[in-house]
Amino acid sequence: MLVQDYQVNGRKSLDRARRSLHHLAGSFAGVRALDITSDVVTAYIAGRLTGPSPARPATIRNELAALTRMFTLGFRAGKVPSRPAFPSIAVHNTRSGFFEEEELSAVLNHLPEALRAVVQFTYLTGWRIGEVRQLTWRQVDLKADVVRLEPGETKNREGRVYPFSSSPELKALLLEQRRITSLLEREVGGLVPWVFHRQGKPIRNFHMAWRNACRKAGYPGRLVHDLRRTAVREMERAGVPRSVAMKLSGHKTESIYRRYAIVSEADLAEGVGRRASFRERTRIVPAQSAGLAGGGDDEPSA
């Protein structure tokens, strides 16, 4: 019922819901709904936190949200008599991760070739990975040098336009993807609608490949979402007006955008250096006492 609810309403986080269901099934498959009580769910939370592969609180929160939604749907359909008040879990996961260019290059070297372009596009645009994975060629105008997302195709349901004529990196990336796709289409004798694909098949979840690449590159624990934060930070550093940057990245509210405008230690050091330079330029050097005294009782000239 949960999966059907996501599909019918076109929710973008179906893949995440499926991952939540996978873990829930490990503990609750075959268990009667009436036996899934608050204390049982508390034990589930404890097991996920301390198991052989401990889960992050945010991951567990998503699983609890899925379980709660399942009971809500079941209650509405008359399959369960009530919606239990399940326990929650506190999440303190304000992220501040971002990539320096050399760090991303190291990760790309350890990714399968089919995944490198989708990661680079995400890094250059700052778009959400779900939006990038679903991108099709009908949304890319190589003559006008524009990528478009129609209303309803984004998380906030608003359309978006990303011109790339002034970005040689992005233009070269899309042209190369078009070349690769055209070669494959001739080989298989059919159209490939996806911009980023694995031999013509859409790229779904690549969590394991990403995690392994980050570990091998020496940056374990980095997130694909850190690419979005990095893009926002670079736009801030480049002086892109915030209203323009929000349109490009797809942030609907400035409060959310500000959370992504992350500064690094290098940025802070640069800020300190700029202030020091300013003070050096504007400092008033005290005159020597002898100079102030002058000679005799002469008054200083006006």
Side-chain angles (χ1 to χ4, degrees), residues 133-145:
R133 286 191 290 106
Q134 297 173 13
L135 199 64
T136 62
W137 286 113
R138 68 172 179 80
Q139 298 165 292
V140 180
D141 190 334
L142 292 174
K143 292 183 178 179
D145 290 343

Side-chain angles (χ1 to χ4, degrees), residues 79-146:
K79 295 181 180 294
V80 292
S82 63
R83 290 173 289 188
F86 292 136
S88 59
I89 180 171
V91 176
H92 307 286
N93 68 335
T94 301
R95 293 282 183 172
S96 58
F98 55 88
F99 277 96
E100 300 298 342
E101 194 159 354
E102 63 274 13
E103 295 173 346
L104 180 59
S105 295
V107 173
L108 288 172
N109 288 336
H110 293 284
L111 276 174
E113 188 174 352
L115 298 178
R116 293 173 190 169
V118 69
V119 168
Q120 288 176 300
F121 184 94
T122 304
Y123 168 68
L124 292 172
T125 61
W127 285 8
R128 300 175 182 88
I129 187 61
E131 297 166 345
V132 179
R133 286 191 290 106
Q134 297 173 13
L135 199 64
T136 62
W137 286 113
R138 68 172 179 80
Q139 298 165 292
V140 180
D141 190 334
L142 292 174
K143 292 183 178 179
D145 290 343
V146 166

Side-chain angles (χ1 to χ4, degrees), residues 4-12 69 157:
Q4 289 177 344
D5 178 64
Y6 271 66
Q7 291 172 335
V8 167
N9 290 290
R11 299 184 65 179
K12 304 296 183 181
R69 181 62 178 167
R157 300 294 176 181

Side-chain angles (χ1 to χ4, degrees), residues 246-301:
M246 289 173 62
K247 288 291 186 182
L248 289 171
S249 64
H251 284 94
K252 192 170 184 178
T253 63
E254 189 168 342
S255 61
I256 297 296
Y257 179 90
R258 284 199 303 268
R259 281 192 349 203
Y260 283 58
I262 298 167
V263 293
S264 65
E265 290 184 12
D267 296 327
L268 297 176
E270 182 182 356
V272 172
R274 287 186 177 184
R275 185 187 178 197
S277 297
F278 171 80
R279 287 175 56 77
E280 191 68 30
R281 293 193 306 270
T282 59
R283 179 180 300 166
I284 299 175
V285 180
Q288 296 296 326
S289 57
L292 287 175
D297 296 327
D298 292 341
E299 293 291 333
S301 59

Side-chain angles (χ1 to χ4, degrees), residues 16-28:
R16 187 177 67 189
R18 290 186 188 276
R19 292 197 297 273
S20 296
L21 289 173
H22 171 74
H23 289 291
L24 290 168
S27 296
F28 299 124

